[in-house]
Amino acid sequence: MKTAADRILNFSAGPATLPEPVLQQAQQDLWNINESGIGICEHSHRGPVFDNIINEAVDNCRQVGSIPDDFEILFLQGGATLQFSMLAMNFLGEGQTANYLDTGVWTTKAIKEAKKLGNVHLAFDGSMTNYDHCPSEEELTLAKGAAYLHFCSNNTIYGTRFTFVPKSDSPVICDMSSDMFSRSIDWDSYDMVYAGAQKNLGPSGTVLVVLRKTMLDKCSDNLPLMLNYNAIAKKGSMLNTPPTFGIYLMGEVFKWILEEGGLGGIEARNEHKAGMIYHALDSKSDFYTTFARECCRSRMNISFKTNTPELDAKFLEESAKLGMSGLKGHRNLGGLRASIYNAFPEEGCARFAEFIETFAANH
Ligand SMILES: *Cc1c(COP(=O)(O)O)cnc(C)c1O
């Protein structure tokens, strides 16, 4: 079996690094899971082996997130992007208005989809400051009596994050794709959260949706079955053949989080990991610029640049020689970006911080 030493330090924004013990277990389970003589991708979703896997995944998900019993846990497909439309189909009724906070590329896409289905009130427009921060409570202009409020807790491209949950007189829905289970979640403040798996939880395509059970009463029977949260919840995420491998792998990641000390342990480590990198960048502030305002620096995605595009290119070239990959900034923003989700090793962050300082000293 290959060891960690064979692997590249993968700073990709998504699909991204997964925990090594999970990948090694998955290698075995693809061949033969739980001594059933059949691999995970070959088991019927109606049999006892998969029943056990999905039930355990739900239980471990609840335990990891301290998710209260009045929330439903669903495993869906179509990526986080399908949720942009699906949540509006279910919760934005005709003639209703929803509050949206625009804090970057992903929320802009969510807004575009919602506008096809109902009225959108832009309660914060981050484009005015080129998305360099998440708003404070004072910067929000929420419409009253809205169907819901939608925001994104961590902006993957710009490297900004919310440090509070906006208060609203309507249900609060959050896209947590890039920071799900990287820190604790105050469930009293939310009615639905969702996350595409490929940043922090598992393979792309699968989506984790956690929603308050009272929200299910709002889903219209006229919706296509596969786009109806209530219909899916009634069948325990198995309205049709579910993404069995994705659910299995997320379940393994949940177990790994529990072994790592749960969200408390993960959050402390994420603070430390991001801290090392920000510290290195700040110590060479005449050489590097971080994109996000200090108030809202993401612990998952660090977007920054050197003083020139030529040096950015050189940074990529030299870091690649040290086995570091995925550091090119998003095409909308340019520059550089280090994505360091839960499974990205602490030691890798230390090596990267050192490289940041050495590179600045050498150039
Ligand atoms: C990656 C990402 C998405 C899109 O996820 P897909 O699974 O590709 O649809 C949406 N929102 C955020 C915040 C993301 O980081």
Side-chain angles (χ1 to χ4, degrees):
M1 186 153 306
K2 290 195 184 279
T3 62
D6 301 317
R7 307 195 88 224
I8 290 283
L9 276 183
N10 178 14
F11 290 92
S12 164
T17 302
L18 285 164
E20 278 166 17
V22 168
L23 294 175
Q24 294 193 341
Q25 185 65 46
Q27 286 184 325
Q28 285 178 34
D29 293 345
L30 265 174
W31 184 248
N32 177 359
I33 187 163
N34 294 341
E35 286 163 32
S36 61
I38 297 175
I40 167 62
C41 292
E42 305 164 302
H43 268 284
S44 164
H45 59 296
R46 305 289 179 200
V49 170
F50 188 73
D51 262 352
N52 201 35
I53 288 168
I54 192 168
N55 291 338
E56 241 183 55
V58 169
D59 290 348
N60 286 329
C61 182
R62 204 176 283 288
Q63 200 186 332
V64 166
S66 302
I67 301 171
D69 285 338
D70 54 338
F71 281 79
E72 193 79 39
I73 294 169
L74 303 176
F75 300 116
L76 307 185
Q77 305 182 54
T81 302
L82 183 57
Q83 292 306 304
F84 298 162
S85 325
M86 188 166 164
L87 69 91
M89 284 178 174
N90 280 267
F91 304 128
L92 186 53
E94 228 181 289
Q96 288 185 313
T97 297
N99 283 309
Y100 274 77
L101 312 187
D102 187 14
T103 54
V105 169
W106 294 115
T107 53
T108 305
K109 289 187 181 182
I111 288 165
K112 221 168 161 181
E113 291 302 289
K115 278 185 175 166
K116 295 176 185 168
L117 296 154
N119 303 317
V120 167
H121 172 74
L122 200 57
F124 173 72
D125 182 1
S127 70
M128 307 303 280
T129 60
N130 198 20
Y131 299 118
D132 68 352
H133 73 294
C134 292
S136 63
E137 202 92 61
E138 294 77 54
E139 285 176 272
L140 305 181
T141 53
L142 298 174
K144 291 235 176 342
Y148 57 82
L149 161 68
H150 181 278
F151 79 109
C152 175
S153 51
N154 185 79
N155 296 283
T156 324
I157 292 165
Y158 300 92
T160 62
R161 70 162 189 172
F162 276 85
T163 51
F164 69 99
V165 187
K167 279 186 193 53
S168 162
D169 63 359
S170 62
V172 173
I173 301 180
C174 184
D175 177 358
M176 289 194 181
S177 292
S178 53
D179 71 348
M180 188 77 193
F181 290 164
S182 70
R183 48 175 165 166
S184 62
I185 299 169
D186 170 20
W187 292 102
D188 286 346
S189 307
Y190 291 103
D191 296 278
M192 170 173 154
V193 312
Y194 63 96
Q198 70 273 27
K199 290 15 186 293
N200 247 332
L201 305 176
S204 59
T206 44
V207 187
L208 174 65
V209 172
V210 182
L211 81 174
R212 206 177 276 281
K213 286 177 179 163
T214 49
M215 295 289 280
L216 296 172
D217 303 332
K218 304 180 191 214
C219 308
S220 158
D221 288 338
N222 293 329
L223 285 169
L225 263 190
M226 286 294 285
L227 300 174
N228 181 331
Y229 294 114
N230 195 27
I232 296 167
K234 276 186 185 152
K235 297 285 183 186
S237 300
M238 294 213 280
L239 199 56
N240 70 331
T241 317
T244 53
F245 181 73
I247 294 169
Y248 153 81
L249 206 67
M250 275 201 262
E252 291 301 305
V253 170
F254 299 149
K255 284 186 210 164
W256 173 79
I257 295 176
L258 292 172
E259 280 161 18
E260 295 293 305
L263 292 194
I266 289 280
E267 182 167 4
R269 198 167 64 195
N270 286 336
E271 286 296 319
H272 180 63
K273 282 159 57 183
M276 286 191 280
I277 295 172
Y278 283 120
H279 179 78
L281 292 169
D282 289 343
S283 75
K284 304 283 180 194
S285 59
D286 51 340
F287 192 87
Y288 298 106
T289 318
T290 53
F291 184 77
R293 288 190 199 171
E294 223 165 306
C295 59
C296 351
R297 284 175 162 182
S298 167
R299 307 313 196 241
M300 299 282 100
N301 313 96
I302 301 173
S303 291
F304 65 101
K305 59 181 184 182
T306 67
N307 291 327
T308 67
E310 290 73 32
L311 276 175
D312 286 347
K314 194 128 194 80
F315 186 99
L316 289 175
E317 198 185 303
E318 289 189 18
S319 57
K321 283 188 194 140
L322 296 174
M324 300 175 184
S325 142
L327 286 162
K328 198 169 161 48
H330 187 272
R331 58 189 182 282
N332 285 30
L333 198 60
L336 304 157
R337 171 173 57 169
S339 296
I340 47 167
Y341 300 113
N342 289 347
F344 191 91
E346 197 166 353
E347 189 258 341
C349 292
R351 266 169 58 195
F352 186 55
E354 198 183 308
F355 172 74
I356 287 171
E357 295 197 22
T358 315
F359 184 82
N362 291 346
H363 297 280

